[in-house]
Amino acid sequence: MKRIEIGHGSGGKLTRDLIENVFLKYLKSEELTPLEDAALINLNNNRAAMTTDSYVIRPLFFPGGNIGKLSVCGTANDLVVSGAIPRYMSLGFIIEEGFPLEDLEQIVESISLTAGDAGIHIVTGDTKVVERNKGDGVYINTTGIGEIVKPMSAQNISDGDTIIITGTVGDHGTSIAIAREEFTIESRVESDCAPLHTLLTPLFEIEGIKWMRDPTRGGAATVLVELSETTGLGVQLIEESVPVREDVKFIAEMLGYDPIYLANEGKALIVTSKESAPEVIETLRKHPLGANSAIIGQVNSTFSGVRLKTKIGGERMLDMLEEEMLPRIC
Amino acid sequence: MKRIEIGHGSGGKLTRDLIENVFLKYLKSEELTPLEDAALINLNNNRAAMTTDSYVIRPLFFPGGNIGKLSVCGTANDLVVSGAIPRYMSLGFIIEEGFPLEDLEQIVESISLTAGDAGIHIVTGDTKVVERNKGDGVYINTTGIGEIVKPMSAQNISDGDTIIITGTVGDHGTSIAIAREEFTIESRVESDCAPLHTLLTPLFEIEGIKWMRDPTRGGAATVLVELSETTGLGVQLIEESVPVREDVKFIAEMLGYDPIYLANEGKALIVTSKESAPEVIETLRKHPLGANSAIIGQVNSTFSGVRLKTKIGGERMLDMLEEEMLPRIC
């Protein structure tokens, strides 16, 4: 009998298989089939975006945030990268018996503060409690609704488009890895977990903006491999141009991870027309969260897949990982 | 240090305490504070309803349904009783490592069929996998969005209003209890789990309709105690008028439960003006799901709380239970 494996939740290849072979087999629909981070819905003849995420992170508290902050940023950011202004959010808690009320209170306080920062209203909630050893402290589901301002679609992407990232890759994943390791690493790496609406919504005015995505599970590499599969176009990346913090690079190397596959929770990948790229970079760099924005590559119709031009001058193809390097990271 | 207890998820008094002392302490808002089953939101200047629920039921399969069917009915029904036409739903899975794919497939198939029955589109989803002993098979969050057609509010309720239930109480709770008991009870009791939109939306046309609620966790009694607390009005119930299946009565008695505190998943409590009550009953009884609809009591401003006039002629007050009789029932 086939059974669920940890890799089915990785956001990588096994997750994709599960979605295609089980979920889409029964639930195929116009809205669900594109598998974007948020669905386009029509309410009273207005376009809105809807997105959902469950957070099963371990540990619950990490440098730069906790599961509460993360659960608000993740969902609010999925709306923004879909071209929507975040408006409303629901909050579903599944709490394990014995969980300290004090910790719960700290998580709820973070949710409140982050929702304020993200400009999103928490309007409805639900709480369930499960017995000891039937959960892992706290799981949180957040579902968000936003108003579409700038419809985005991978279908608009074409040869020669520019690929931009709004800052350093792998910060969130590295901070979780450190928080989880049993041996102690002296480090100042914090999660980049942050709401992105004030950084990204000014880009909605720029005509050449075609597509955005926040690189969470599986990191920037996984998002770009998916993009290449969806569009049938190639992605040419320049390793040297991909911003990575020195300490992230060092720690990731020590632990055997590749930062480009590690999650961010406060960054966006952006595809824009080549003509608009300078304006996009200029707009992003005005914002503290976009100070390290960089052009990291371009779309190329002459091949398929993601090619990374390495620093030493070689080239390698980036694949979707079968399994996450680090499970339960977001 | 205070810790989360199973009762905090009961839907009863401890849940209420947790919401008031932790969640509302930080998350107070215009939309969240009424604590109705669905929140009223405003999207592009149109009124919509939003509701969320996580399903942590045990066992996952029970007579009359499974966690998939339940997770669609519960959320779709929360929208309908809020006076909304269900439109869109998100689906968040948290799956335990080792869960049989075959069972998952059966659950997803039920979700698909039930969503069709409930007239709701599943538009976005998320899958997470947790390690063995960090979950309990499958947890599902569903979040729903609907278009408000008939705004309902407990604030419209006044002295003399009629209280109606659309059918027999306690069916779902009893079916779960049987599925869970280790000894075998020969019984035909099935969960009443069903989407209610075709039963209830015709009532939106009736002017006297003031308020609806589906009695899930804590059953009809808990919903009416909450109603009394919210409105400050008394509720007079006639035990003899409350429809209960004979086998549910028998089994509940044997197991030591009171059916009026046991969950339904395909019933609604309705408060209507006395004048409209006959039309409401007539409309409900035309529908197979409303064949056993009955007037079970009335609103009375001369006392507070919920008074049950018992069959033997006495009277007792119904309280909110501290703990669920049967945890993880929905």
Side-chain angles (χ1 to χ4, degrees):
Chain A
M1 184 170 42
K2 282 190 185 169
R3 292 181 178 275
I4 289 289
E5 302 165 30
I6 283 292
H8 281 117
S10 68
K13 201 185 157 307
L14 280 174
T15 306
R16 195 41 97 91
D17 290 349
L18 184 68
I19 290 172
E20 279 168 9
N21 300 333
V22 178
F23 292 109
L24 289 187
K25 178 172 169 191
Y26 297 102
L27 300 172
K28 226 173 183 92
S29 75
E30 204 182 307
E31 296 93 351
L32 195 61
T33 312
L35 294 181
E36 295 284 349
D37 273 5
L40 292 186
I41 60 176
N42 210 309
L43 265 178
N44 298 103
N45 297 317
N46 284 292
R47 279 183 305 192
M50 181 172 192
T51 185
T52 193
D53 245 309
S54 300
Y55 296 83
V56 298
I57 195 166
R58 192 166 44 92
L60 299 174
F61 296 86
F62 51 83
N66 62 45
I67 189 173
K69 181 179 180 186
L70 186 70
S71 68
V72 176
C73 291
T75 290
N77 291 347
D78 278 348
L79 293 172
V80 176
V81 297
S82 304
I85 308 280
R87 289 285 185 233
Y88 303 103
M89 189 179 276
S90 65
L91 201 53
F93 274 91
I94 299 174
I95 314 176
E96 188 182 2
E97 181 186 14
F99 190 70
L101 265 174
E102 214 172 278
D103 289 357
L104 181 63
E105 197 156 333
Q106 204 178 325
I107 289 166
V108 176
E109 188 177 16
S110 280
I111 287 173
S112 169
L113 293 171
T114 314
D117 286 349
I120 200 160
H121 293 264
I122 290 164
V123 293
T124 188
D126 177 58
T127 309
K128 293 293 191 310
V129 178
V130 294
E131 297 87 351
R132 271 170 225 273
N133 302 319
K134 301 291 179 189
D136 196 9
V138 168
Y139 299 142
I140 298 178
N141 176 284
T142 49
T143 301
I145 301 284
E147 289 169 11
I148 297 278
V149 173
K150 168 91 177 176
M152 309 261 180
S153 168
Q155 303 311 321
N156 301 334
I157 296 173
S158 58
D159 187 58
D161 283 349
T162 301
I163 299 166
I164 290 171
I165 192 152
T166 62
T168 51
V169 299
D171 309 32
H172 177 71
T174 307
S175 78
I176 296 284
I178 293 170
R180 208 184 284 172
E181 288 295 335
E182 282 160 23
F183 51 94
T184 312
I185 301 173
E186 285 294 332
S187 135
R188 290 191 191 145
V189 180
E190 292 203 337
S191 167
D192 54 345
C193 184
L196 293 174
H197 76 305
T198 57
L199 174 69
L200 299 180
T201 51
L203 304 182
F204 294 173
E205 312 286 320
I206 300 175
E207 215 195 305
I209 291 285
K210 299 189 170 183
W211 186 83
M212 299 182 188
R213 181 68 74 91
D214 53 334
T216 57
R217 274 190 289 186
T222 301
V223 167
L224 292 171
V225 172
E226 277 183 8
L227 181 66
S228 170
E229 286 181 0
T230 309
T231 59
L233 298 167
V235 168
Q236 176 70 61
L237 291 183
I238 314 293
E239 189 174 29
E240 226 166 21
S241 309
V242 177
V244 195
R245 286 171 58 130
E246 279 306 317
D247 47 6
V248 165
K249 209 181 293 181
F250 178 77
I251 293 164
E253 201 162 292
M254 203 168 75
L255 299 175
Y257 304 133
D258 182 344
I260 204 168
Y261 282 96
L262 287 178
N264 287 106
E265 288 289 344
K267 301 289 156 55
L269 282 161
I270 299 167
V271 179
T272 175
S273 68
K274 199 175 172 180
E275 296 68 38
S276 298
E279 189 186 352
V280 172
I281 289 285
E282 194 192 350
T283 308
L284 289 170
R285 288 194 179 152
K286 280 184 197 152
H287 193 290
L289 290 175
N292 297 312
S293 295
I295 292 174
I296 60 169
Q298 61 174 17
V299 176
N300 188 320
S301 65
T302 65
F303 62 92
S304 58
V306 178
R307 272 193 202 163
L308 183 75
K309 196 172 169 191
T310 61
K311 281 173 202 166
I312 52 169
E315 250 187 1
R316 64 182 174 104
M317 297 302 290
L318 297 184
D319 288 324
M320 203 177 276
L321 296 183
E322 291 275 327
E323 300 238 357
E324 232 167 345
M325 286 178 290
L326 216 52
R328 295 183 53 194
I329 200 157
C330 48
Chain B
M1 182 170 43
K2 284 190 182 168
R3 291 181 179 275
I4 290 290
E5 303 165 28
I6 284 291
H8 281 118
S10 67
K13 201 183 157 306
L14 279 174
T15 306
R16 194 41 96 95
D17 290 350
L18 184 68
I19 290 172
E20 279 167 9
N21 300 333
V22 178
F23 292 109
L24 288 187
K25 179 172 169 192
Y26 297 101
L27 301 173
K28 225 172 185 94
S29 75
E30 206 181 306
E31 296 93 351
L32 195 62
T33 313
L35 293 181
E36 295 284 347
D37 273 4
L40 292 187
I41 61 176
N42 209 309
L43 265 179
N44 298 104
N45 298 317
N46 284 290
R47 279 183 305 192
M50 181 172 190
T51 186
T52 192
D53 246 309
S54 301
Y55 296 83
V56 298
I57 196 165
R58 193 168 43 93
L60 298 174
F61 296 85
F62 51 83
N66 62 45
I67 188 173
K69 181 178 181 187
L70 187 69
S71 68
V72 176
C73 291
T75 290
N77 291 346
D78 278 347
L79 293 172
V80 176
V81 298
S82 305
I85 308 279
R87 289 285 185 233
Y88 302 103
M89 188 177 279
S90 65
L91 201 53
F93 274 89
I94 299 175
I95 313 176
E96 188 183 1
E97 182 186 13
F99 190 71
L101 265 175
E102 214 172 277
D103 289 357
L104 181 64
E105 197 156 333
Q106 205 178 327
I107 290 166
V108 177
E109 188 176 17
S110 280
I111 287 173
S112 169
L113 293 171
T114 314
D117 286 348
I120 200 160
H121 293 264
I122 290 164
V123 293
T124 188
D126 176 59
T127 309
K128 294 293 190 311
V129 177
V130 295
E131 297 87 351
R132 271 169 226 274
N133 301 319
K134 301 292 180 189
D136 196 10
V138 168
Y139 299 142
I140 298 177
N141 176 283
T142 49
T143 301
I145 300 285
E147 288 169 11
I148 296 278
V149 173
K150 168 92 176 175
M152 309 262 178
S153 169
Q155 303 311 321
N156 301 335
I157 296 174
S158 58
D159 188 59
D161 283 349
T162 301
I163 299 165
I164 289 171
I165 192 153
T166 62
T168 51
V169 298
D171 309 31
H172 177 71
T174 307
S175 78
I176 296 285
I178 293 169
R180 209 184 282 172
E181 289 294 336
E182 282 161 21
F183 52 94
T184 312
I185 301 173
E186 285 294 332
S187 135
R188 289 189 193 149
V189 180
E190 291 203 340
S191 168
D192 54 346
C193 183
L196 293 175
H197 76 305
T198 57
L199 175 69
L200 298 180
T201 51
L203 303 182
F204 294 172
E205 311 286 321
I206 300 175
E207 214 194 307
I209 291 285
K210 299 187 171 185
W211 186 83
M212 301 182 186
R213 181 69 75 92
D214 53 333
T216 56
R217 275 191 288 186
T222 300
V223 167
L224 292 171
V225 171
E226 276 182 7
L227 182 66
S228 171
E229 286 180 1
T230 308
T231 58
L233 298 167
V235 168
Q236 176 71 61
L237 291 183
I238 313 294
E239 188 174 28
E240 227 165 21
S241 310
V242 179
V244 195
R245 286 172 57 129
E246 279 306 318
D247 46 6
V248 166
K249 208 181 295 180
F250 178 77
I251 293 165
E253 201 162 291
M254 203 167 74
L255 299 176
Y257 304 133
D258 183 344
I260 204 168
Y261 282 97
L262 286 179
N264 287 106
E265 288 289 345
K267 302 290 155 55
L269 282 161
I270 299 166
V271 180
T272 174
S273 69
K274 200 175 173 179
E275 296 69 39
S276 298
E279 190 186 350
V280 173
I281 289 284
E282 194 192 347
T283 309
L284 289 170
R285 287 194 180 152
K286 279 183 198 154
H287 194 290
L289 291 174
N292 297 312
S293 295
I295 294 175
I296 60 170
Q298 60 174 18
V299 176
N300 188 319
S301 64
T302 65
F303 63 91
S304 59
V306 179
R307 273 193 202 162
L308 183 75
K309 196 172 168 190
T310 61
K311 280 173 201 164
I312 52 169
E315 250 186 0
R316 64 182 175 103
M317 298 301 290
L318 297 184
D319 289 324
M320 203 176 275
L321 296 184
E322 292 275 329
E323 299 238 359
E324 232 167 344
M325 287 179 290
L326 215 52
R328 296 185 50 195
I329 200 157
C330 48

